[in-house]
Amino acid sequence: MPVPPPSPAVAGDESSERARDALLKVRREVAKAVVGQDATVTGLLIALLTPGHVLLEGVPGVAKTLLVRSLSAALSLDTKRVQFTPDLMPGDVTGSLVYDASTSAFSFREGPVFTNLMLADEINRTPPKTQASLLEAMEERQVSVDGVTRALPEPFIVAATQNPVEYEGTYPLPEAQLDRFLLKLTMDLPERKDEIEIIRRHALGFDPRNLAAAGVRAVASAADLADARVAVSKVSIAPEVLAYIVDIVRATRSAPSFQMGVSPRGATALLNTSRAWAWLSGRDFVTPDDVKVLAPPCLRHRVALRPEAQMDGVNADDVLASILATVPVPR
């Protein structure tokens, strides 16, 4: 996914302009700590704008955790990290009732899910029971314990990571939970020039645990995100572009390489993310190109390849690219 260029805001909306300027500055702040991941930062910003959750996939050592921490620092948001392990229990994520001897009563102790940006590290290393404990939080933005429902802070998104090459001792996420993620972003190994810059920074004493020393500061806030969400909701989309989204989604259901296509929830996600991308790009309307840009990260985790396609070395992005090349584009 490319990065939207700095663009003038939609005329006549000062709050929209301020919010966009603040969010575009976030990328520059995160780049002080993380090199060469502007597209991933943009994807996370789109998730915050929509709002929705993100699945980050990449090999160990590509700065997935550092990126989320840097993003939360630049946005002045609270963040918590949970290392998902085979022995992690649902209550370790959502919170649980704890007996207070001084009052002879049970009180609720909040889990790490009560935050703005939750980093679920290696989510596929924990059993399905614990994975499922996140479903209510992700979908309803609330937690129910002992019959009492507690609302989560606003904004709230989950950024979950997983290793794409290590499968021993893992529990693949079921389709129902994958569908709860708005985007699946892949973090590739850095290019040579970016890796040289990473090593240069470490040689000069960069400490990934000290973001303040790296110069990362808060340049946006939850209020900016709230203004931005209002602006995104006003982005228009023509009937022809709406039909284009539906045609892309329907094409995934008849693609020979897929045994499962995208549901209407995926079509809605593609609509919402395309509007957020258009707004970040400085427009108050969605174009077919916006849809094309967001289709791979928005749909790649909502489809299932047939075994024979996997044996032929085909991946979801290949099939989606073929679909985008064949579905007629509205003029």
Side-chain angles (χ1 to χ4, degrees), residues 213-234:
V216 179
R217 59 188 179 89
V219 294
S221 65
D224 292 317
L225 278 175
D227 289 341
R229 288 180 179 181
V230 172
V232 169
S233 69
K234 297 177 181 178

Side-chain angles (χ1 to χ4, degrees), residues 53 175 178-184 252 260-270 273 296-304 316:
H53 311 286
E175 285 77 8
L178 282 172
D179 204 38
R180 292 327 196 263
F181 286 97
L182 181 73
L183 299 170
K184 180 182 178 181
T252 67
M260 183 187 74
V262 178
S263 70
R265 179 188 286 148
T268 302
L270 184 53
T273 54
C298 196
L299 305 181
R300 59 168 59 112
H301 57 296
R302 304 175 192 271
V303 295

Side-chain angles (χ1 to χ4, degrees), residues 213-281:
V216 179
R217 59 188 179 89
V219 294
S221 65
D224 292 317
L225 278 175
D227 289 341
R229 288 180 179 181
V230 172
V232 169
S233 69
K234 297 177 181 178
V235 173
S236 64
I237 181 165
E240 297 82 2
V241 181
L242 278 175
Y244 181 53
I245 291 174
V246 171
D247 289 342
I248 291 172
V249 168
R250 292 180 67 85
T252 67
R253 301 171 193 163
S254 58
S257 296
F258 289 153
Q259 63 182 2
M260 183 187 74
V262 178
S263 70
R265 179 188 286 148
T268 302
L270 184 53
L271 161 66
N272 293 334
T273 54
S274 298
R275 295 172 84 178
W277 171 269
W279 179 81
L280 279 174
S281 300

